[in-house]
Amino acid sequence: MNLSCSLWQDNSPSVKHFAFAKFSEVTEQCFLLFTLILLMFLASLTGNALIALAIWTNPVLHMPMYFFLANLSLLEIGYTCSVIPKMLQSLVSEARGISREGCATQMFFFTLFAISECCLLAAMAFDRYMAICSPLHYATRMSRGVCAQLAVISWGVGCIVGLGQTNYIFSLNFCGPCEIDHFFCDLPPILALACGDTSHNEAAVFVVAILCISSPFLLIIASYVRILAAVLIMPSPEGRRKALSTCSSHLLVVTLFYGSGSVTYLRPKASHSPGIDKLLALFYTVVTSMLNPIIYSLRNKEVKAALRRTLGKKNVLTRG
């Protein structure tokens, strides 16, 4: 066992503190990785914050599609903030430790934001389905109240799953080693440190992944099958182009998020590799969060116009 880990333990049978594994023994590599991740983290925070602010402050964007997009941006901010700051500290400091309570807190918030995003992406697909396949009833069926309920359900499911999974995993004892072979308190690497039989916990993680990753994904697929069928029978090429344009950004975000998440949590345990898991985790915690605001702002004229107006207002206030 790592000496620093053993010093963190008291006389109780369970480890009270953990330590994240080093990214590299080479200082220059850690500094380079720190710089890249910091830049992506700042870009993600700035981009998502600007999109959320532009949507809330521009009445022209007060419609269901952008309401969900603002919620997605808030989720991305929480998602990255729950993981990246501690990771950046571990890259440039010898203080790589985290308490059992701190680890549980990080796991809860990471799970909350990740599961909420799965559900919210499904709600966004349903919104596009209603807009394209049932335009005459769209205003009534996707009212402000319905959109708020879908957002609350998404956040609520994330909170319930986060509490349940975190409590279930941290009810176990951890006998050591206490070094987490990862850069944050994700479920599989923490379970790997637990004492005794963890098959029930692993089964619970897999079942939750099936229900909260696969089920929303299947709803998204079903929505887009119906959307594609409706688009193909549209008489106007311009109408088909516009309909597909409103869906393309969402489809790209879904592909990035669900692709990396599914490979991480739905593949068999025997095929897990710490190196691949870390690479995938970097992708879905840092890269996708940075790309999402870029994808939506570049492919949506209304969002770009709202961002310009928001930035213009900031410049006027700064000069004043």
Side-chain angles (χ1 to χ4, degrees), residues 235-248:
S236 167
E238 180 63 22
R240 288 196 296 268
R241 187 199 62 78
K242 186 175 180 181
L244 291 174
S245 177
T246 63
C247 298
S248 58

Side-chain angles (χ1 to χ4, degrees), residues 2-291:
N2 187 302
L3 178 61
S4 61
C5 292
S6 63
L7 293 175
W8 289 336
Q9 292 180 236
D10 55 23
N11 294 325
S12 64
S14 185
V15 170
K16 298 298 182 183
H17 286 75
F18 300 97
F20 295 112
K22 281 189 175 182
F23 282 80
S24 172
E25 296 294 336
V26 181
T27 304
E28 290 76 11
Q29 290 180 358
C30 289
F31 181 75
L32 176 61
L33 194 57
F34 171 87
T35 304
L36 290 174
I37 293 173
L38 177 62
L39 290 174
M40 287 190 289
F41 177 55
L42 293 176
S44 173
L45 287 183
T46 304
N48 284 295
L50 281 175
I51 283 185
L53 182 63
I55 290 171
W56 294 126
T57 57
N58 286 273
V60 71
L61 297 184
H62 290 179
M63 57 183 70
M65 180 171 67
Y66 299 113
F67 169 78
F68 290 127
L69 178 55
N71 272 269
L72 180 65
S73 294
L74 294 177
L75 282 172
E76 292 287 6
I77 291 171
Y79 189 63
T80 53
C81 287
S82 66
V83 173
I84 305 305
K86 187 66 178 176
M87 178 175 61
L88 290 172
Q89 180 190 8
S90 299
L91 276 167
V92 294
S93 169
E94 289 299 318
R96 294 178 290 110
I98 186 169
S99 68
R100 182 186 176 109
E101 294 76 16
C103 193
T105 301
Q106 187 184 64
M107 180 182 288
F108 164 71
F109 280 108
F110 171 77
T111 307
L112 184 160
F113 293 123
I115 298 299
S116 298
E117 184 162 340
C118 287
C119 297
L120 190 72
L121 288 171
M124 295 173 77
F126 178 72
D127 170 66
R128 292 299 82 209
Y129 160 72
M130 291 301 301
I132 294 170
C133 299
S134 188
L136 297 179
H137 304 286
Y138 179 71
T140 55
R141 293 182 180 176
M142 293 301 295
S143 65
R144 184 173 297 182
V146 171
C147 293
Q149 288 175 9
L150 289 173
V152 169
I153 290 171
S154 298
W155 286 80
V157 169
C159 186
I160 292 169
V161 172
L163 281 172
Q165 288 284 59
T166 303
N167 183 66
Y168 195 30
I169 289 175
F170 280 90
S171 64
L172 298 169
N173 285 326
F174 299 91
C175 304
C178 66
E179 185 171 270
I180 304 168
D181 196 9
H182 210 46
F183 58 80
F184 70 96
C185 293
D186 200 4
L187 284 71
I190 294 297
L191 271 177
L193 303 180
C195 310
D197 182 21
T198 61
S199 58
H200 293 295
N201 302 83
E202 291 167 5
V205 171
F206 187 74
V207 169
V208 168
I210 290 290
L211 292 175
C212 298
I213 296 179
S214 298
S215 297
F217 183 68
L218 289 175
L219 289 174
I220 293 170
I221 294 297
S223 297
Y224 276 107
V225 168
R226 297 289 300 274
I227 288 171
L228 183 60
V231 169
L232 289 176
I233 61 174
M234 287 181 177
S236 167
E238 180 63 22
R240 288 196 296 268
R241 187 199 62 78
K242 186 175 180 181
L244 291 174
S245 177
T246 63
C247 298
S248 58
S249 298
H250 180 252
L251 272 174
L252 186 53
V253 169
V254 166
T255 302
L256 291 172
F257 183 79
Y258 274 97
S260 55
S262 298
V263 172
T264 301
Y265 295 104
L266 294 179
R267 75 183 194 272
K269 181 183 177 181
S271 65
H272 277 259
S273 163
I276 294 175
D277 288 347
K278 290 177 189 177
L279 186 63
L280 287 169
L282 274 174
F283 186 81
Y284 64 71
T285 56
V286 184
V287 179
T288 58
S289 296
M290 178 191 69
L291 291 178

